[in-house]
Amino acid sequence: MLEGLDPEQREVATALHGPVCVLAGAGTGKTRAITHRIAYGVRAGILQPSSVLAVTFTNRAAGEMRGRLRQLGAQGVQARTFHSAALRQLQYFWPKAIGGSMPRLVDRKVKLVADAAAAMGTRLDRGELRDVTAEIEWSKVTQTIPADYAYAAAKAGRDIPRDPAEVAHLYAAYEDLKRARAVIDFEDVLLLTVAILQDRHDVAEQVRMQYQHFVVDEYQDVSPLQQRLLELWLGDRDSLCVVGDASQTIYSFTGATPDHLLDFKGRHPGATVVKLVRDYRSTPQVVHLANGLLTQARGRAAGHRLELLSQRPAGPEPAYTEYTDEPAEAEGAARRIRELIDSGVPAAEIAVLFRTNSQSETYEQALADAGVPYQLRGAERFFERPEVRKAGIALRGAARFGGNDSLLDDAVDLPSQVRAVLSGEGWSSEPPAGSGAVRERWESLAALVNLAHDLAVATPGATLGDFVAELDERANAQHAPTVQGVTLASLHAAKGLEWDAVFLVGIAEGMLPITYAKTDEQIEEERRLLYVGVTRARERLHISWALSRAPGGRPGRRPSRFLDGLRPGTTATVGHTGASAGGGVERGATAGAAAVPRRTQRTQRTPARCRVCGRTLTDAGEMKLMRCEDCPSDMDEGLYERLREWRAVQAERSGQPDFCVFTDRTLMAIAEARPENSAGLSRIPGVLSRKLRSYGPDVLAICAGRQADADVEDA
């Protein structure tokens, strides 16, 4: 199981006790390391497959992880996205924790946001609708309610599409509409799962009994809400392995933050930290450019950068090309791509990456004119294409009744069976001439043929029924097979992928960094975005820019500042303030010893004791009340009821379940403590700083026998 792993990867695979943090640079084999870690733990009898939950951020990554674990003999391990894992738990526990049927999940919220805006009489164009939807998503993953949106957005430096108060009202209207239609969105899946695990100690314990060991990939991209869910899954245990690279943090606009990764050692003093810097993906020339980009970076993430060491033979130097205008740039890229394909480079091993999706159309046209097949990543989902749906029906029928199908008489193995079935759907051994819809349909069917071949290699003896089951699993996870065409994708969509040849286009000031990136933090994220683009290339890297947008336009553009000092004839304009980190292992104080529960590591925290009898409290519900369940309560029943009535009003206004405002336990604790000021209220477990700011004045007014401010306003 450990053969073929380098020394640092082997350290990852064998570090099976206590918290582990893997700082993994681009192309350093992190997925290989963590899947071998899980498989090694299973083989060694240390990990039970059903007790392991591996979480990542995309269905494609989760599907890839499941496939690798299956090949390593670690069947039964759950590899899911955060949302998929939470949704599964929510569906299971909803009848027990909430009662009744779970609301319907909407997969796209834009239509609901549009309906909410219409109900308010607000007109949003297509761009504003998209931006407001993004603000609602950011608010929810950062656990910001509508009433707090304006303050939180200003503090975070959000580029708000409209007046903050108007966005807050749209957010509230959206939540009201969801509630009226009895639906929930993807962020609600996380919010509701967190709420249930916080409120129902029995449910949390059941989840923790099921999952004993956690692995989190792309940990630099976790949001505060996902981190909270992870903490609730863990409880007081520390059997956690996280993997990430702060230099690849490019989703902060969604609420992602690398702070959890960078602070991991502080939260887990006994953690083993392993740095992976041996780059097996890219040539030394590509790696040199990637390292150079980060050398000029600033900020906290830059201070923890990993200097990659290429393990591949030398390749061509990155090419830099300047064009007069964008159409000329697209034609130049298409011409070079045509030359690569003619020289033997598969079209599927070539990508054109750009900063914004609006740049795609020019390159689609240029590639079509050059007779180059392409696929647009992020467009219509593969398994929703009509030809793929029809092919699935045909394959399912052949799997059931293939013995009576003359098409399969001469098909002796799985690939030949799939080719025979799909020949009736429009597939042929040679692609059709030209481009357009006919070519796109053929590319989709060819992807299924290639997938059948891959399955036959990975699982000798696989049947047509096995192939249909594989398609069903991939469709559920939206894990699409590779289409044989040049990939067109935004830099954000390219994260986690790689190609032999990469064309980075439009690398000019105003586009990268994008014109609306104003703050130092935003500029540095744009630099990291280019770093991600560079590290997608295995061998060939082409970087280009245009001096003007349209033919005959004023040539006022200049190459991106990020290329200063890196492309020939330029000098660097920014100095790096942090030191790079080499590979290796940093063992925590408890490494090699029995794992120390997280609670025992927090020596500063005094044990919670019952305020009636003095017994040490361990139950979460008792700790919130600060007394044993059986000890007498001095709760003010009238105050408790007034608090419950107030909570119902607040929940209705914010469009959240009651327990998202305060749980029953927290209200009981308030009714028992009867705090007189903010300091007393803040000492009650469950009253966090955000809730203290939002609800503190109302709660203190109710405790003092007065009406809450909101009630006075309503009156």
Side-chain angles (χ1 to χ4, degrees), residues 86-104 182-185 188-196 200 203 206 656-660:
L87 178 59
R88 196 173 187 222
Q89 293 174 17
L90 191 63
Q91 290 170 329
Y92 182 81
F93 289 112
W94 186 277
K96 175 180 180 180
I98 307 297
S101 300
M102 196 181 92
R104 180 174 62 85
V183 297
I184 59 175
D185 60 28
D188 290 330
V189 170
L190 299 183
L191 283 164
L192 290 167
T193 305
V194 164
I196 289 174
R200 291 291 298 265
V203 171
Q206 192 171 342
Q656 301 180 88
D658 290 353
F659 51 75
C660 287

Side-chain angles (χ1 to χ4, degrees), residues 54-294:
V55 289
T56 187
F57 284 81
T58 67
N59 290 315
R60 186 199 60 80
E64 180 183 350
M65 191 176 291
R66 283 194 297 271
R68 292 202 191 191
L69 289 169
R70 201 161 47 230
Q71 291 176 0
L72 292 171
Q75 292 93 338
V77 173
Q78 292 292 315
R80 297 179 174 274
T81 64
F82 269 101
H83 282 89
S84 173
L87 178 59
R88 196 173 187 222
Q89 293 174 17
L90 191 63
Q91 290 170 329
Y92 182 81
F93 289 112
W94 186 277
K96 175 180 180 180
I98 307 297
S101 300
M102 196 181 92
R104 180 174 62 85
L105 177 64
V106 292
D107 57 353
R108 291 181 177 87
K109 59 173 64 66
V110 171
K111 177 65 166 61
L112 274 173
V113 175
D115 290 348
M120 287 178 56
T122 301
R123 295 177 63 88
L124 298 176
D125 62 30
R126 187 174 180 180
E128 289 175 322
L129 186 59
R130 183 188 64 243
D131 292 342
V132 169
T133 301
E135 289 304 295
I136 291 174
E137 291 175 348
W138 172 82
S139 299
K140 299 184 78 164
V141 300
T142 56
Q143 303 176 78
T144 301
I145 61 174
D148 293 344
Y149 169 77
Y151 170 82
K155 184 178 180 182
R158 302 287 293 177
D159 185 17
I160 303 172
R162 296 175 77 97
D163 179 75
E166 189 175 16
V167 175
H169 287 141
L170 284 166
Y171 177 14
Y174 167 78
E175 293 295 321
D176 289 341
L177 187 60
K178 279 200 296 100
R179 192 167 187 170
R181 295 183 180 179
V183 297
I184 59 175
D185 60 28
F186 276 101
E187 288 73 38
D188 290 330
V189 170
L190 299 183
L191 283 164
L192 290 167
T193 305
V194 164
I196 289 174
L197 293 176
Q198 285 180 159
D199 197 52
R200 291 291 298 265
H201 181 69
D202 56 332
V203 171
E205 284 304 307
Q206 192 171 342
V207 171
R208 291 166 193 160
M209 286 179 63
Q210 169 68 47
Y211 297 116
Q212 306 291 323
H213 188 83
F214 297 85
V215 177
V216 184
D217 194 11
E218 304 289 1
Y219 192 56
Q220 78 278 352
D221 289 332
V222 296
S223 68
L225 181 57
Q226 289 164 330
Q227 175 64 21
R228 181 60 185 143
L229 178 59
L230 178 62
E231 290 169 353
L232 288 166
W233 282 340
L234 270 170
D236 289 322
R237 302 164 300 174
D238 64 357
S239 188
L240 170 66
C241 174
V242 301
V243 189
D245 178 11
S247 296
Q248 296 187 67
T249 304
I250 59 173
Y251 299 111
S252 68
F253 61 91
T254 67
T257 170
D259 289 346
H260 305 300
L261 175 68
L262 299 178
D263 294 338
F264 189 85
K265 183 71 174 176
R267 295 196 314 275
H268 302 273
T272 297
V273 179
V274 185
K275 298 182 179 73
L276 303 182
V277 297
R278 302 174 199 250
D279 188 320
Y280 298 95
R281 174 189 300 160
S282 304
T283 63
Q285 287 74 15
V286 173
V287 167
H288 178 72
L289 176 57
N291 286 337
L293 278 171
L294 295 187

Side-chain angles (χ1 to χ4, degrees), residues 314-496:
E317 290 288 340
Y320 301 89
T321 309
E322 182 173 277
Y323 293 92
T324 56
D325 52 63
E326 288 184 5
E329 183 180 6
E331 291 169 9
R335 187 168 55 251
R336 290 195 175 195
I337 289 170
R338 180 77 267 173
E339 292 169 356
L340 286 176
I341 294 174
D342 291 343
S343 70
V345 179
E349 290 298 342
I350 304 173
V352 179
L353 307 181
F354 32 75
R355 175 61 179 85
T356 67
N357 288 318
S358 62
Q359 296 168 267
S360 170
E361 186 176 355
T362 304
Y363 290 89
E364 291 179 56
Q365 186 61 54
L367 290 173
D369 291 345
V372 175
Y374 65 86
Q375 60 166 329
L376 185 60
R377 185 166 184 83
E380 182 185 27
R381 292 182 176 181
F382 179 83
F383 289 101
E384 294 174 3
R385 297 175 184 175
E387 65 271 20
V388 175
R389 288 179 176 273
K390 285 186 63 181
I393 293 172
L395 289 165
R396 187 169 282 104
R400 290 179 179 175
F401 310 112
N404 300 321
D405 192 337
S406 59
L407 278 174
L408 301 180
D409 287 347
D410 298 326
V412 296
D413 57 14
L414 177 60
S416 60
Q417 289 175 338
V418 171
R419 288 195 296 268
V421 173
L422 296 186
S423 64
E425 301 298 322
W427 179 84
S428 60
S429 58
E430 292 297 326
S435 58
V438 173
R439 177 63 182 246
E440 290 174 4
R441 285 195 294 271
W442 184 88
E443 296 284 0
S444 296
L445 298 177
L448 296 177
V449 171
N450 292 334
L451 182 61
H453 179 269
D454 293 342
L455 180 62
V457 171
T459 310
T463 65
L464 202 53
D466 295 330
F467 182 65
V468 169
E470 174 76 8
L471 289 181
D472 288 341
E473 183 177 340
R474 282 173 169 264
N476 290 332
Q478 288 301 327
H479 182 203
T482 301
V483 174
Q484 294 303 312
V486 172
T487 298
L488 294 176
S490 70
L491 287 164
H492 284 101
K495 177 77 168 62

Side-chain angles (χ1 to χ4, degrees), residues 640-655:
Y640 177 65
E641 288 305 317
R642 290 195 298 277
L643 289 169
R644 283 173 57 87
E645 291 170 2
W646 165 84
R647 180 184 66 176
V649 173
Q650 296 298 322
E652 184 174 357
R653 286 176 177 168
S654 62

Side-chain angles (χ1 to χ4, degrees), residues 34-54:
I34 59 177
T35 51
H36 277 72
R37 179 181 188 271
I38 294 170
Y40 178 72
V42 169
R43 290 278 187 94
I46 298 171
L47 303 178
Q48 295 299 316
S50 61
S51 72
V52 179
L53 177 59

